[in-house]
Amino acid sequence: MTIAEQPPASLADLAYVALQDRLIMLDIPPMAPIDDLAVAESLGMGRTPVREALKRLEVDRLVISYPRRGTFATGVDITDLAYISEIRVHLEPLAARRAAETSSEPSRSKLATLADAIEELDVRSMARHDLMHWDLRVHRAIYRAAGNPHLEDTLVRYHNLATRIFCLFLDRITHFDSHIKEHVGLLRSISTGGADEADQLARTHVTNFETAIRALI
């Protein structure tokens, strides 16, 4: 499973999606150097689209470039958790509410189908990285259903940063299955138009995430 909901439109998009996935999941470790030539060769493309992708990822705060030193994955600073959560606790409920109130019937059906799929997962037997991809898939589906591209872009960026923090503690988190299962109620409330419930469930989901991470610090 990949993070992208839609197929990349260009080589630069392809490079962006591939690198974004590796950076978010910490397959490229924090502060690790990124060799654009090696990335280009691994993806079977030239360096130009990779460099274009890296510029976009720098805006996303997933990479950082230094003159004469090169490009590196950004560090994961646990002190950023409070700042990220402060934003998400307001915007995640807004996206959930908008999706419940304004999304089309096909969008709601898609969210309901996603809830069904999660209910059928054998969460306890799945690899943590696979479960994190489900988490990313759910949140992106909700952001898209909210129908506000600016809200979607903002939430994707901050959820990416939150996910990097999550992955840093992934092997130490207990009851990870409950985090994934929280998505079911959220998706169903949106798919049935329950705006107030969706708002509250999204808020609780964000605060539960922060609480779980802080318990490990």
Side-chain angles (χ1 to χ4, degrees):
M1 184 188 301
T2 60
I3 292 174
E5 287 290 317
Q6 298 177 338
S10 67
L11 288 177
D13 289 336
L14 178 64
Y16 175 79
V17 169
L19 281 169
Q20 183 190 61
D21 186 88
R22 297 176 195 175
L23 289 160
I24 293 171
M25 303 301 292
L26 303 187
D27 293 328
I28 299 176
M31 303 309 299
I34 299 175
D35 184 337
D36 58 358
L37 178 58
V39 172
E41 290 177 347
S42 71
L43 296 176
M45 62 178 66
R47 297 172 78 174
T48 297
V50 172
R51 288 174 175 171
E52 291 176 9
L54 289 172
K55 289 178 181 177
R56 290 173 60 188
L57 291 164
E58 188 163 16
V59 173
D60 294 342
R61 299 192 177 190
L62 292 174
V63 305
I64 185 168
S65 296
Y66 298 101
R68 296 180 297 279
R69 287 182 56 196
T71 300
F72 299 79
T74 54
V76 178
D77 188 345
I78 192 61
T79 60
D80 286 339
L81 177 62
Y83 301 130
I84 293 168
S85 296
E86 184 178 30
I87 295 168
R88 293 185 65 220
V89 79
H90 293 290
L91 297 188
E92 293 274 354
L94 174 61
R97 177 175 289 277
R98 278 189 56 87
E101 292 176 339
T102 67
S103 61
S104 65
E105 186 56 39
S107 292
R108 294 188 185 195
S109 178
K110 180 179 179 181
L111 296 181
T113 299
L114 191 52
D116 291 340
I118 293 172
E119 282 192 314
E120 293 176 2
L121 293 176
D122 184 1
V123 174
R124 294 183 182 276
S125 69
M126 293 178 66
R128 293 294 180 93
H129 271 46
D130 290 338
L131 289 170
M132 285 308 304
H133 276 101
W134 276 100
D135 179 86
L136 288 160
R137 183 179 175 186
V138 167
H139 283 272
R140 277 150 183 67
I142 294 172
Y143 305 157
R144 179 61 54 86
N148 181 330
H150 301 288
L151 178 62
E152 179 181 359
D153 288 347
T154 301
L155 276 170
V156 165
R157 179 177 301 176
Y158 285 102
H159 187 255
N160 287 346
L161 297 176
T163 299
R164 295 186 86 215
I165 294 174
F166 208 156
C167 287
L168 196 65
F169 294 93
L170 204 53
D171 292 335
R172 295 169 53 193
I173 293 175
T174 58
H175 306 300
F176 188 73
D177 53 330
S178 64
H179 176 82
I180 298 299
K181 292 298 186 180
E182 283 180 9
H183 293 143
V184 175
L186 177 57
L187 290 166
R188 294 215 184 281
S189 64
I190 295 172
S191 67
T192 57
D196 289 340
E197 182 182 32
D199 182 303
Q200 184 56 52
L201 289 174
R203 191 179 310 277
T204 300
H205 187 63
V206 173
T207 56
N208 283 351
F209 163 75
E210 183 176 11
T211 300
I213 296 300
R214 289 201 177 281
L216 300 174
I217 297 175

